[in-house]
Each structure stands twice: as structure tokens, then as C-alpha cells.
Amino acid sequence: MDTNQLLQRVQTMIQSSAKKPKYMTISTVKVADLFGVKPEEIQKGLDALVEEGYLKQSKLDSPPFHDIFLLP
């Protein structure tokens, strides 16, 4: 899994979000389908991008309490 390609795709998804502040819940299954890989690889890639500081990860304060991703 190319993390640079994943980062570009996720950044585009977040920037096109209509929410304020801009954030996105990311379905690893849907992204994996786009890239033709397993969802576990996408999750590892997202975790690596968060660890490296390219993305921020948080949780929604109200239901449904999804994990969300934001740009730093």
C-alpha cells in the first residue's frame, strides 16, 4: 500500500467535506475497494499517517461516536 497515494486520496476527501471544521469518517472497506487491497492494509496506512503527523484522528463527541480524520 502506497501511503503517499493514500494520503492524497484522504486529503482530497477531507477537503471536499462540507462539514465545518472539515473532517471525514473514512470507511476502510470502501477505500480498500478503490485501491484493490484489503481493509486491514488501509487501516495500517491510516494509522501510519496519523503517527507520522500527516493526519489527526479524533472521535465525535455525540452519537454515533465515529472515528474521524482531520488535516493538521
Side-chain angles (χ1 to χ4, degrees), residues 28-42:
T28 55
V29 174
K30 288 182 182 179
V31 176
D33 189 43
L34 290 172
F35 284 107
V37 297
K38 294 185 179 198
E40 295 82 19
E41 290 182 49
I42 299 297

Side-chain angles (χ1 to χ4, degrees), residues 1-51:
M1 176 82 249
D2 182 19
T3 55
N4 288 331
Q5 191 176 20
L6 178 61
L7 176 61
Q8 289 176 350
R9 178 65 60 110
V10 171
Q11 282 178 332
T12 302
M13 292 168 65
I14 293 171
Q15 290 170 348
S16 67
S17 171
K19 299 168 181 76
K20 294 202 187 323
K22 296 210 179 255
Y23 67 87
M24 190 72 160
T25 57
I26 297 176
S27 168
T28 55
V29 174
K30 288 182 182 179
V31 176
D33 189 43
L34 290 172
F35 284 107
V37 297
K38 294 185 179 198
E40 295 82 19
E41 290 182 49
I42 299 297
Q43 187 61 50
K44 286 179 187 176
L46 289 172
D47 291 341
L49 291 172
V50 169
E51 188 175 303

